[in-house]
Amino acid sequence: MKYAVVYDSPTGNTKILAEEIKSCMDGQKGSTGECLYFGESARDDGLMEKISEAEVVFAGFWTDKGDSGAKLAGFLESLHSSRVFLFGTAGFGGSEEYFSRILERVVSHLPSDNTVAGSYMCQGKMPMTVRKRYEAMLEQSPEDEKMKAMIDNFDRALSHPDSADLEKLRSMLSAL
């Protein structure tokens, strides 16, 4: 299968998923996949030509204010007549409802002549600067239960994407 993996990953979390996808696709069903492109989304004039023959375009994103980052959104908006598998990471996790809302926003960047072949999201670790910001806010309001919950979520996210996240992704890919 000819495929492309295009992603945006400022924290490295989505890149972990991208690498897992490439590994799975290269060894899927005992045959070698043909990776036409693997890398960050970029304003590369040749990118669309490189991926034009892809049977599946895997498009990966980090979550920025409940949507993909602007770089990947721009890439998705430029795709046409493609079969797309979306994958992403979000610092806040644990809720399929939350992930579904994010995916709905990300899908909205795709022109209608594309087909969504599947999607996958998992939690991803956040930079330590985020925890420090939460701690400073908690110092201002020590009884703030919401802020305590945000710190707890930050701590849970530190191990993600983990082996269970990658196994779930592999399972989704085997259905393609």
Side-chain angles (χ1 to χ4, degrees):
M1 174 186 296
K2 292 181 180 180
Y3 70 95
V5 181
V6 180
Y7 62 89
D8 185 19
S9 184
T11 61
N13 295 323
T14 304
K15 183 178 182 182
I16 292 169
L17 300 182
E19 290 169 341
E20 189 66 26
I21 288 169
K22 185 174 186 322
S23 175
C24 287
M25 295 308 295
D26 285 350
Q28 192 177 50
K29 297 183 176 121
S31 65
T32 302
E34 184 180 347
C35 184
L36 302 175
Y37 180 85
F38 179 87
E40 296 264 343
S41 59
R43 294 280 179 211
D44 174 359
D45 292 335
L47 176 59
M48 300 316 279
E49 185 177 329
K50 290 175 189 172
I51 68 170
S52 64
E53 294 181 31
E55 295 169 62
V56 179
V57 175
F58 295 92
F61 60 92
W62 66 291
T63 301
D64 183 20
K65 299 174 191 84
D67 199 346
S68 66
K71 277 176 39 178
L72 196 83
F75 168 74
L76 292 174
E77 290 163 1
S78 70
L79 271 180
H80 290 284
S81 302
S82 295
R83 192 167 165 234
V84 182
F85 184 99
L86 297 168
F87 65 98
T89 57
F92 291 91
S95 165
E96 289 302 320
E97 282 180 42
Y98 177 63
F99 289 159
S100 292
R101 285 193 309 270
I102 293 167
L103 285 164
E104 284 176 21
R105 289 183 196 109
V106 175
V107 166
S108 73
H109 296 291
L110 282 169
S112 62
D113 62 335
N114 292 289
T115 302
V116 177
S119 61
Y120 176 74
M121 281 199 71
C122 69
Q123 191 167 25
K125 61 188 156 292
M126 296 172 272
M128 197 53 78
T129 54
V130 172
R131 191 177 204 288
K132 292 190 182 311
R133 188 174 70 235
Y134 293 167
E135 289 170 346
M137 293 167 80
L138 188 59
E139 282 181 25
Q140 299 296 318
S141 303
E143 302 304 315
D144 187 339
E145 292 302 318
K146 181 179 176 186
M147 195 52 56
K148 289 177 186 177
M150 291 173 78
I151 290 172
D152 288 344
N153 177 77
F154 178 94
D155 292 342
R156 280 191 307 276
L158 285 174
S159 65
H160 291 274
D162 62 16
S163 60
D165 297 326
L166 297 179
E167 180 56 40
K168 188 173 177 185
L169 175 59
R170 285 190 293 273
S171 175
M172 304 240 0
L173 295 173
S174 68
L176 286 178

